[in-house]
Amino acid sequence: FKELSAMIDPKKIYSAADAIALVQKTATTKFDSSIEVHVSLGIDPKKGEQQVRGTVALPHGTGKTKRIAAFVADAEKEKEAKDAGADLIGGEELIKQIVTSGKIDFDIAVATPDMMPKMAKAAKILGPKGLMPSPKNETVTTNLKKAIEELKKGRVAFKNDDTANIHQIIGKASFSTEKLLENFTSFMEAIRRAKPATSKGVYMASITLSSTMGPGIKTSM
């Protein structure tokens, strides 16, 4: 880690292209490291109106295949979800199964609006893990085909944590520098669009790139 850190000037703010090229050089794990973006925001996380959240379709995905569960109420929507590539499809029986076993075998949940009252039974299990479908991140929808296909291609949801930071994987070290740069640019533009109207002063205090277990590299837009 010290050797990798020595490659980076801690006082320098690198251009996005240079930072991405450098972060790939510091990704020396035996597995294909994830490339992460960490954004420190100049918001008050305690104020509800200053929360930053949204969704963005990364042009080249994150490099991680996500299992999607679709909660539907009828056979027509079940077929739509299946054709779109959902990995797990069900209705009340699936909800009951989750509530009874406490087991979750998916990374993202989508649901049709008519299923949301029934989903409340599983809220205590799904909610703490950030898996409860929500209109805010476009996982409650009548257009399951579009939602599932976009999620499979690389649409991600983001929101600030309690310390006013946002953390997001934008790809793998094996991606080309160009693909990582395009994903980075798309993600940062989404954060900029999500700026709360009540946020004053500096919005993005700092942007840092890092690989899994690698040192942080300060960068600009």
Side-chain angles (χ1 to χ4, degrees):
F1 186 86
K2 287 182 179 179
E3 288 177 4
L4 296 175
S5 297
M7 298 168 60
I8 302 160
D9 183 349
K11 296 180 181 179
K12 182 177 179 179
I13 297 178
Y14 293 83
S15 69
D18 288 345
I20 287 171
L22 189 53
V23 81
Q24 286 179 290
K25 291 180 182 177
T26 64
T28 57
T29 54
K30 292 181 180 179
F31 55 89
D32 192 6
S33 298
S34 293
I35 303 301
E36 307 165 0
V37 180
H38 307 275
V39 184
S40 177
L41 300 170
I43 61 169
D44 185 344
K46 294 181 181 179
K47 294 183 178 180
E49 71 275 10
Q50 289 197 28
Q51 299 300 303
V52 175
R53 66 188 301 162
T55 61
V56 58
L58 298 178
H60 307 288
T62 62
K64 180 182 177 182
T65 302
K66 294 186 176 181
R67 283 180 58 81
I68 298 176
F71 293 86
V72 298
D74 58 63
E76 183 182 342
K77 286 298 179 183
E78 186 175 329
K79 183 179 185 304
E80 183 181 343
K82 184 178 180 179
D83 292 344
D87 301 281
L88 193 62
I89 305 166
E92 291 187 69
E93 281 300 314
L94 180 55
I95 295 170
K96 185 178 179 181
Q97 182 181 322
I98 293 169
V99 173
T100 303
S101 68
K103 293 181 180 179
I104 300 170
D105 189 28
F106 53 87
D107 304 298
I108 304 173
V110 297
T112 50
D114 56 350
M115 285 299 296
M116 289 311 292
K118 298 167 185 175
M119 291 290 293
K121 296 176 183 178
K124 288 184 179 180
I125 297 172
L126 299 179
K129 296 182 181 296
L131 294 174
M132 195 67 181
S134 167
K136 291 182 179 179
N137 59 23
E138 299 174 33
T139 49
V140 175
T141 177
T142 55
N143 193 341
L144 288 174
K145 183 177 185 296
K146 180 184 177 184
I148 294 169
E149 287 179 348
E150 286 185 352
L151 288 166
K152 283 286 186 181
K153 288 178 182 177
R155 194 185 85 196
V156 296
F158 61 86
K159 65 178 179 178
N160 64 272
D161 61 18
D162 293 339
T163 57
N165 294 310
I166 289 180
H167 313 277
Q168 179 59 50
I169 292 172
I170 58 164
K172 295 287 186 178
S174 60
F175 282 22
S176 69
T177 302
E178 291 74 20
K179 286 184 177 180
L180 285 171
L181 183 57
E182 286 179 19
N183 277 359
F184 173 79
T185 302
S186 295
F187 179 61
M188 295 310 300
E189 286 176 351
I191 290 182
R192 190 170 59 229
R193 289 194 300 270
K195 180 181 179 180
T198 56
S199 174
K200 306 298 180 185
V202 176
Y203 176 48
M204 285 186 262
S206 69
I207 306 166
T208 305
L209 281 165
S210 68
S211 61
T212 305
M213 298 169 63
I217 302 168
K218 293 180 180 179
T219 183
S220 60
M221 280 283 286

